[in-house]
Amino acid sequence: MFETINAAPEDSILGLTEAFQKDPSPKKINLGVGVYKNGSGQTPVLATVKEAEQRLLRSEATKSYLPIDGLASYGELSQQIVFGSDHTILRAGRATTVQTPGGTGALRVAADFVRRISPQAAVWLSDPTWPNHPNVFGSAALQVQSYPYFEPDSNGVAFERMISALETIPAGDVLLLHGCCHNPTGADLSPEQWQAVAAICAKRGILPLLDFAYQGFGDGLEEDATGVRTVADHCREFIVATSYSKNFGLYNERVGALTLVASSADAAEAANSHLKICVRTNYSNPPAHGGQIVAEILGDPDLRQRWEVELAEMRNRINDMRHLFVETLDQQGAGRDFSFIARQRGMFSYSGLTPAQVQALRERHSVYIVGSGRINVAGMTEANMEYLCAAIADVLK
Ligand code: LMR
């Protein structure tokens, strides 16, 4: 069976890390995978996470299975951080949450659920989008479509073209929206644009699926929830895929959540029974450790407050790097207006570099960015900035 297998292509993001690790250059820089680095170029464990782990070590009494849909307290706290603690959806019991292995796990459970309930539904993805999106939905045997999103001339959202496309999406299809910090472009919808998009979904009977992997990395925990909460104001049904990889730095613990909002508490409960089948047939039940850390921090006012400070430090450092990057590119004679990068939000920006320039960056300078030209701003530091910008200026010549 295995003798005739041809090797599959490497993952366009995680494959880069493998190549980076093999590169002997002392100057190498990895701006590929979306992992935050502090000013010293490290991805440390947050102090609040360490403290929560110490508490868990002392109090944990069993390693027995979690329920199929995970820790109940984790689900409730996840809903509160997405919607705010006193949202009408929560009071009405219209939300149900399943703890998942990472945001990717939440997306895959959502995909299996849609396929189970509405197999003819297509999933509409922004063009461009996270390269794993089409694979996740395609693997669940759903049809994948795309809608225009990015305007290279303005380095912003191609809003009119996006709206025209949304007006053609059939009722019952799924619209994947990036809740904030669009991956890969860094270009987000404005609050007014969210209103328009949410209104179209409600009017046409489109199911919004929000990939919410960067809450707190853009403008703040509350600010970044504007899109999700606007959808909540307009649509009776939608799904949110949360990731705690970035905002808690829990990348390798695989901590995520799928929150489904239905039009009534009964409908949410019925949906939950199907979500549980999707989980049970996939990975049975979620790993506990990461979810317990998040629940410990979000459920303790003091730890939560200190976590928010750590999150703000990460966010502010990224936004500082955006400005420094623009200035240093200019100083190094890049000869192009990169000021849009300072206006964008989240970990990523589309640099506009061509695939040939991306390859030259890697071969000549050991600087690794995704083939699409996506740059992880959160991997820049004051120490690597000059070398990085000189390298970019060189490949732009
Ligand atoms: C990214 O886009 O780099 C991150 O979301 C990590 C991943 O899994 O691709």
Side-chain angles (χ1 to χ4, degrees):
M1 189 188 287
F2 306 149
E3 279 170 5
T4 55
I5 297 176
N6 294 320
E10 284 193 335
D11 184 83
S12 60
I13 295 175
L14 300 185
L16 272 185
T17 304
E18 291 169 28
F20 174 81
Q21 276 158 355
K22 286 185 201 142
D23 189 327
S25 165
K27 292 190 164 163
K28 63 184 177 177
I29 305 176
N30 186 2
L31 302 182
V33 66
V35 171
Y36 174 83
K37 301 225 174 68
N38 65 16
S40 324
Q42 308 299 320
T43 308
V45 183
L46 298 188
T48 47
V49 166
K50 276 282 186 213
E51 186 167 331
E53 285 184 309
Q54 277 155 6
R55 291 187 192 180
L56 289 173
L57 193 61
R58 284 197 296 271
S59 65
E60 192 177 49
T62 181
K63 292 284 187 191
S64 183
Y65 294 121
L66 288 185
I68 295 173
D69 51 359
L71 267 183
S73 59
Y74 174 87
E76 281 161 26
L77 291 160
S78 292
Q79 291 176 9
Q80 287 170 16
I81 200 160
V82 170
F83 295 109
S85 52
D86 196 30
H87 199 279
T88 50
I89 288 177
L90 307 193
R91 272 187 273 130
R94 289 173 47 212
T96 183
T97 297
V98 168
Q99 181 182 336
T100 56
T104 309
L107 291 170
R108 179 57 195 254
V109 173
D112 288 342
F113 173 83
V114 170
R115 171 77 189 166
R116 181 178 176 83
I117 301 297
S118 187
Q120 74 293 342
V123 180
W124 293 75
L125 305 175
S126 65
D127 177 20
T129 195
W130 183 48
N132 208 25
H133 277 149
N135 304 335
V136 168
F137 295 105
S139 295
L142 287 167
Q143 201 196 320
V144 174
Q145 303 274 11
S146 72
Y147 60 89
Y149 185 79
F150 188 64
E151 188 65 72
D153 291 345
S154 64
N155 292 292
V157 179
F159 190 63
E160 281 175 21
R161 287 196 294 124
M162 173 180 178
I163 290 291
S164 306
L166 301 195
E167 291 284 8
T168 69
I169 296 182
D173 275 5
V174 178
L175 176 65
L176 190 133
L177 297 161
H178 298 226
C180 66
C181 305
H182 185 267
N183 178 4
T185 66
D188 281 339
L189 297 173
S190 67
E192 298 70 34
Q193 290 172 333
W194 273 108
Q195 292 281 349
V197 168
I200 293 177
C201 290
K203 180 183 80 180
R204 296 190 63 81
I206 300 167
L207 180 76
L209 166 52
L210 291 113
D211 186 348
F212 203 24
Y214 299 91
Q215 187 177 4
F217 263 57
D219 290 308
L221 279 174
E222 293 296 304
E223 294 84 343
D224 293 349
T226 301
V228 183
R229 294 181 192 172
T230 304
V231 168
D233 290 342
H234 286 80
C235 302
R236 291 174 346 133
E237 298 184 344
F238 58 96
I239 297 174
V240 182
T242 291
S243 168
Y244 294 119
S245 295
K246 326 284 166 166
N247 50 15
F248 281 83
L250 285 169
Y251 307 90
N252 68 12
E253 296 292 354
R254 311 309 297 138
V255 204
L258 180 161
T259 298
L260 178 148
V261 175
S263 56
S264 68
D266 286 348
E269 204 178 311
N272 176 277
S273 68
H274 288 271
L275 288 169
K276 287 200 296 196
I277 291 173
C278 298
V279 169
R280 178 66 171 145
T281 53
N282 190 342
Y283 53 88
S284 193
N285 49 70
H289 187 65
Q292 285 169 333
I293 295 169
V294 169
E296 186 71 32
I297 295 174
L298 292 182
D300 178 301
D302 172 53
L303 267 184
R304 173 166 173 153
Q305 192 266 330
R306 282 189 279 141
W307 165 68
E308 287 194 29
V309 172
E310 292 190 276
L311 176 60
E313 277 169 16
M314 292 194 275
R315 174 173 65 246
N316 293 338
R317 203 193 78 77
I318 295 173
N319 289 334
D320 289 350
M321 285 304 105
R322 287 186 173 278
H323 288 279
L324 187 62
F325 184 50
V326 174
E327 277 165 35
T328 316
L329 279 170
D330 191 42
Q331 283 160 13
Q332 295 293 329
R336 234 190 234 187
D337 178 14
F338 280 103
S339 57
F340 64 91
I341 289 178
R343 295 192 294 274
Q344 295 176 334
R345 284 292 171 272
M347 279 191 164
F348 308 114
S349 272
Y350 242 18
S351 61
L353 296 185
T354 63
Q357 289 163 340
V358 171
Q359 197 181 340
L361 259 187
R362 175 173 161 172
E363 283 168 6
R364 301 216 290 259
H365 303 285
S366 295
V367 172
Y368 290 72
I369 70 171
V370 179
S372 61
R374 185 192 84 168
I375 293 190
N376 174 19
V377 182
M380 297 176 190
T381 63
E382 281 180 28
N384 68 23
M385 192 62 82
E386 224 170 274
Y387 177 77
L388 167 68
C389 293
I392 293 177
D394 175 55
V395 302
L396 283 174
K397 270 186 208 141

